[in-house]
């Protein structure tokens, strides 16, 4: 992330940007803190000699603080992501019996539907009374039921 120079951040100095990043981090603006810390590191990297010992020391403190903010922010985001993952997993575990029950019902209905269509397609008397278009529709229904049966069976596994 690099901010446009019109924001005026680049004239604040590495140490001040790093302090701002820490302030954002402490107020739970984690992503903003990361961006400002990156800006501080970019400014430090762009610093070209000619600075006093005091300025160099301030820049180094800013670099250290920015790295610290980035490490803490990454850890915070990882912890939040893990908490979300656990919550979603818990929801899934609670829902799994309902999902499997629904899949079993779908499987049973799909088997019934495929069997009914097979019976219709095997009824020579019925087939002699319907046109080719109806026969194709019955075959398409059988294919749909068979595909649904396969998907439900796979889900149950």
């Amino acid at each position: 992330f690099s901010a446009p120079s019109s924001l005026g951040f680049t004239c604040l100095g590495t140490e001040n940007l790093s302090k701002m990043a820490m302030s954002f981090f402490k107020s739970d603006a984690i992503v903003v803190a990361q961006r400002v810390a990156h800006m501080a590191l970019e400014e430090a990297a762009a610093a070209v000699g000619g600075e006093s010992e005091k300025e160099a020391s301030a820049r180094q403190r800013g670099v250290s603080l920015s790295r610290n903010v980035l490490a803490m922010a990454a850890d915070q985001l990882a912890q939040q992501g893990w908490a979300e993952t656990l919550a979603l997993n818990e929801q899934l575990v609670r829902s799994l019996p309902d999902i499997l029950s629904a899949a079993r019902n779908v499987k049973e209905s799909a088997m019934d539907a495929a069997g009914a269509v097979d019976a219709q397609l095997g009824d020579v008397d019925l087939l002699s009374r319907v046109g080719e278009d109806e026969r194709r529709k019955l075959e398409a229904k059988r294919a749909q039921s068979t595909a649904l049966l396969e998907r439900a069976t796979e889900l149950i596994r």
Side-chain angles (χ1 to χ4, degrees):
F1 174 83
S2 64
S5 59
S6 63
L7 291 178
F9 283 140
T10 56
C11 67
L12 291 175
T14 303
E15 187 175 30
N16 287 334
L17 283 171
S18 298
K19 287 178 182 177
M20 285 175 58
M22 181 58 83
S23 178
F24 283 125
F25 177 79
K26 287 179 178 178
S27 64
D28 289 329
I30 307 298
V31 174
V32 175
Q34 285 179 310
R35 290 179 179 166
V36 174
H38 279 294
M39 289 171 49
L41 292 175
E42 288 173 9
E43 182 170 298
V48 180
E51 56 189 357
S52 69
E53 188 175 314
K54 182 178 177 181
E55 291 169 329
S57 179
R59 183 173 43 80
Q60 188 55 46
R61 283 191 306 273
V63 167
S64 295
L65 183 58
S66 288
R67 288 178 179 157
N68 190 31
V69 167
L70 289 172
M72 291 185 311
D75 181 64
Q76 181 72 24
L77 291 174
Q79 294 297 329
Q80 288 172 355
W82 182 244
E84 290 172 15
T85 300
L86 288 177
L88 289 171
N89 187 53
E90 187 176 313
Q91 287 176 355
L92 177 62
V93 168
R94 282 194 311 261
S95 301
L96 194 56
D98 294 335
I99 293 168
L100 290 174
S101 176
R104 285 185 194 104
N105 291 338
V106 166
K107 180 181 176 183
E108 186 177 318
S109 296
M111 286 174 59
D112 290 346
V117 172
D118 281 341
Q120 287 179 308
L121 288 170
D123 186 342
V124 176
D125 187 44
L126 174 67
L127 290 179
S128 66
R129 288 182 281 148
V130 297
E132 187 63 28
D133 190 45
E134 265 314 297
R135 194 165 90 58
R136 277 196 291 268
K137 286 179 185 178
L138 285 172
E139 289 172 351
K141 283 182 186 178
R142 178 176 55 188
Q144 285 177 327
S145 295
T146 302
L148 188 55
L149 175 62
E150 289 171 1
R151 288 191 302 237
T153 301
E154 186 63 32
L155 182 64
I156 293 170
R157 288 185 200 163

